[in-house]
Structure formats: structure tokens, C-alpha cells
Amino acid sequence: MTIIYEETADDGPPIPEQRITVRVNGRKVVAEVEPRLLLAHFLRYTMRLTGTHTGCDTTNCGACTVLVDGRAIKSCTMFAVMADGHEVTTVEGLASPSELHPLQEGFKEKHGLQCGFCTPGMMMAAKALLDRNPDPTEEDVRWALSGNLCRCTGYQNIVKSVLWAADKLRAESGQAEEAS
Amino acid sequence: MYPSRFRYQAARSAEQAVRLLHEGGEDAKVLAGGQSLIPMMKLRFASPELLVDINAIPGLDYHRVDPDGSIHVGALCRHADLEHSDLLPGHQPTMTAAAPLIADPLVRNRGTLVGSLCHADPQGDWASVVLALGGSIVAQGPAGQRTIPLREFVLGPFENALAHDEIAVEAVIPAPRGAPAGGYLKLERRVGDFATAGVAVALETDGSQVIRAGIALTGVGGSTIEATEAEQVLTGRPLTAETIAEAGRLAAAAAQPKSDHRGSATYKRHIVSTFVVRILSRIDWTQERAA
Ligand SMILES: Cc1cc2nc3c(=O)[nH]c(=O)nc-3n(C[C@H](O)[C@H](O)[C@H](O)COP(=O)(O)OP(=O)(O)OC[C@H]3O[C@@H](n4cnc5c(N)ncnc54)[C@H](O)[C@@H]3O)c2cc1C
Ligand code: FES
Ligand code: FES
């Protein structure tokens, strides 16, 4: 499909593209990719899902965090071919057409972002935490986000945003249980 | 950044992975969690011609404690699986202490213990832990399986004893003969940094004395260091303030740290001794004895 990498002197001989089938935000996607295509670049350039940011590009910052089969990982450090047959969730997969996800609301309510660069990664790491642990302590949140760097906020409000979202999600699931 | 081109094959069984490696020759490489290999490929420090991805091999993501007490960690068991393990706490204190200290939560979701041992980074935490515990690697090649003690497996920085057509299928920690005690301490400048210095201590006690002692050091030499003299001073005796202090001194003497951006050699040596003493002093000797 799209070859997006510029040719450099030591790239080696051309390699046939490989067909992958990936479920991205619930949608089944079939694509032909170079084996060396990074998942982050597949999402951003092939899928045009530019919510996943690449910051450091050296596996340090977590801006590129997405969920693969529910686990938060750094998409700059995985090849798209490795996602073949798997389920990828990006920040675009959080909101429904009509409503923000409680995490997004939380970041809005509690001023969890300034420049917003780290925010998609923060939200995805937080999503993985809340899926596993709906009632985290502040310490749990700090621990779960410790692989995600933010240059702006000093983290305080990010932690508050995630705790806000946890409260809201628990309240919602409580209501759902009462209703059923 | 992106790597140079490579061919990619996802193996569906260990046998298939071995066959692909065999056919691929010297320029083929195993891809496990990719948390060391992919960064190196992006920097073009590594340019394999073929990657054999083992992630789709079923049944390798286990870690288990066998009835005899030995611990088995499959090649696809991630650092995070060990961090959140229900099996290890109360059973293997050194591994339990180390798991949450590897890299950061995102890297721990992909990276594997076995991959870390194969990578043989002198800064790798698991190599110290597994060395202190007297563990080994089970390798599978065209001729079948063989077991390689970690001491012989790590040949030097980034060098292991696998043939080009062998994969590591699991790491094994032998059954303890006594009650396991110990821990892992790591000084890091921030989450996700490699160790300024790390210390693994793995003891086995029979209630009155130490019957086996393993001590290994991370990040204070060209390779993982086993502090043999410190181990010897603890073995066959009760744990006392004197033996603890002596073990700390001998471990620091075994370290070969270099001054760098993480700290001076003197400082790192001091950390080693402090960590050895701290881990050993925290062992609840009376409770071990009662158990
Ligand atoms: C930001 C960051 C911080 C980190 N911090 C730490 C840290 O603090 N402490 C620490 O110990 N590590 C750290 N790491 C490294 C991390 O633990 C890696 O997960 C680990 O070193 C390699 O495991 P892997 O499964 O990702 O292996 P890969 O990257 O897939 O492979 C590494 C090497 O081992 C070989 N290999 C892997 N598995 C096998 C196998 N089963 N058989 C044969 N060969 C195999 C590969 O061919 C390759 O040469 C860090 C990594 C990053 C990116
Ligand atoms: S861009 Fe992936 S970790 Fe920074
Ligand atoms: S809001 Fe700017 S990096 Fe986090």
C-alpha cells in the first residue's frame, strides 16, 4: 500500500509487502505493509489516525501508547506486522460519536493537559489501568502512568483527571447495575 | 527513525522457529518482546536480514511453580506477568522484588524475562536475579533441547551461548533446598532508567543457618557479576550482623564499576555494599526460623 519511509543508503534490498489483518478501534482493517513499518507509523500515516503521537521515537516517552489486546504498549516499538490478528485501540477509539469518554471528560474537568502532546498516551495508559482496576488509589495511578512523560503539567492534574474518570466510570457501572 | 529492511516470519511453533532460524543463517534473529531489539534496529545498531517472530507460538507465555518447587518461565512471559503474578509472592522474594523495577509499565507489558537474559545486557536486571538463584536456560535447536546454566549462557556483554539456530524456550529456577529469602534493590535516576547499581540476593535457609547464598550485581561491570566471596561468607552460618557487614564489604570489592553519567565508581561501590546489607538485614530471621 503506502511506502512512507525515505530510502537511505543502508536500507537493504526491497522486501515484498505483507498482508495484515488488524482490528483497529473495532474496525477490521486489511493492509499490505513493509515488515519494517512501525505500528505508530501505520496508525498515523496508513490509517490517518494522528491522535497517536510520536515524541521521543526512542521508547522513552509513552506519547505513542496504544492498547494491543487491552495492554498498553509503545507503538513506536512494535512493528505493524506484529499486530496481525490482534486488536489495537487508539485514542480515537475512546469517544462514542455523541459522547466523550469519561477519561476525556476528566482531563477536561481537571485540566489534565496543557499542550496536549502527551495526552493521548496518558489516556490510553490510564484506560488500561481502569480496565484492570476500576478503583485505583492515587499511588496506583502514578505507578501506571510512570512510563508516560509530560513536559507541561507536573502530573498533578493528570492524576486528578484519571481519578475523576475512575469515579465517574464506577458511578456509571453502579447505575447500570441498579437499572438491570 | 526506522530500521533497515528485513524479512519477517511469524513462527507458529518452537520447531518452526528453529527451522526458520536454521534456514536464515547468521543474519536471522529471534524477535520476542522487541523492547531491546527494535530500539537497536531503529538506531541501526542491529540490521538482521530475517526476523523470526516467536510471539504467535502458543503456550510459551506461562510461568509456573512445579510441585518440586522449581520455577519455570516461558519465553513469552512478560515482565508485567511476573509483576502481577499470584504465584511468586510468598514463594520467590528476589523475583518478586525485581519484576516491578524493570523498565517502565509499558515496556513491561511487552518485554520478556527470557529475552532479557538472551540480550545479555550488563545493565539487565533479570540476569542478576537468575544468576543469584542459580537458574538456567532451556534452549531448543535442530538436535533437540539442552539446558545451559546462566553462568555459562551469558558469554559477555550482548553475547549469549545460543547457536544461531537455537531459541531459548524457558528459564528455570531450581527447587530451593531450604526456605527462600532475599530481595532485589536497584538505584535508578528515574522510572525506566537502567540501574546505576542493582543487587540481587537469594538465600536459602534451614531455620538455623544459611544453606545457600547467591549474590549478583547489575550495572557495575562489563557483565553481570557474581559476588562469590560474599556468597561464601554467608554460607553454612547463621545470618549475623557480622556476616552481613562482611558480605556487604566483599560484594563491593567484587564490583568493577566505572564512573559515568549515573555516578562515580566510588559511589556505585558504596551503593552495592549498602544494598547487600539492607536486603540481608530486612530478612526476618526469626520468622524464617519459625517457618
Ligand atoms: C525504555 C526502556 C527501559 C528499559 N529498562 C530496563 C531496565 O531497567 N532493566 C532491564 O533489565 N531491562 C530494561 N529494558 C530492556 C527490557 O527489559 C527488554 O524487554 C529486554 O531486555 C529484552 O526482552 P525482549 O523480550 O523485549 O527481547 P527482544 O528485544 O525481542 O530481543 C532481545 C535480544 O534477545 C534475543 N532473544 C529474545 N528472546 C529470545 C529467545 N526466546 N530465544 C533466543 N533469542 C532471543 C533477540 O534475538 C535479541 O537479540 C528497557 C527497555 C527499554 C526500551
Ligand atoms: S514515541 Fe514511542 S515512546 Fe516516545
Ligand atoms: S500536556 Fe504538554 S506534554 Fe503533557
Side-chain angles (χ1 to χ4, degrees), chain B residues 200-289:
Chain B
V201 175
L203 301 190
E204 289 164 34
T205 67
D206 68 0
S208 62
Q209 58 183 27
V210 174
I211 54 177
R212 182 189 173 278
I215 299 182
L217 316 177
T218 313
V220 288
S223 202
T224 309
I225 292 174
E226 190 169 14
T228 331
E229 288 181 20
E231 293 172 350
Q232 279 162 3
V233 82
L234 295 172
T235 313
R237 304 207 174 104
L239 203 54
T240 64
E242 290 72 39
T243 60
I244 289 175
E246 188 60 7
R249 199 186 60 75
L250 290 168
Q256 300 154 12
K258 284 204 170 64
S259 298
D260 61 13
H261 57 289
R262 290 194 175 87
S264 70
T266 317
Y267 173 62
K268 292 180 188 179
R269 225 182 262 284
H270 186 72
I271 298 291
V272 167
S273 139
T274 304
F275 279 0
V276 169
V277 170
R278 193 171 293 171
I279 298 171
L280 289 171
S281 309
R282 276 182 193 164
I283 293 173
D284 190 344
W285 187 244
T286 45
Q287 210 181 16
E288 302 290 335
R289 205 181 305 220

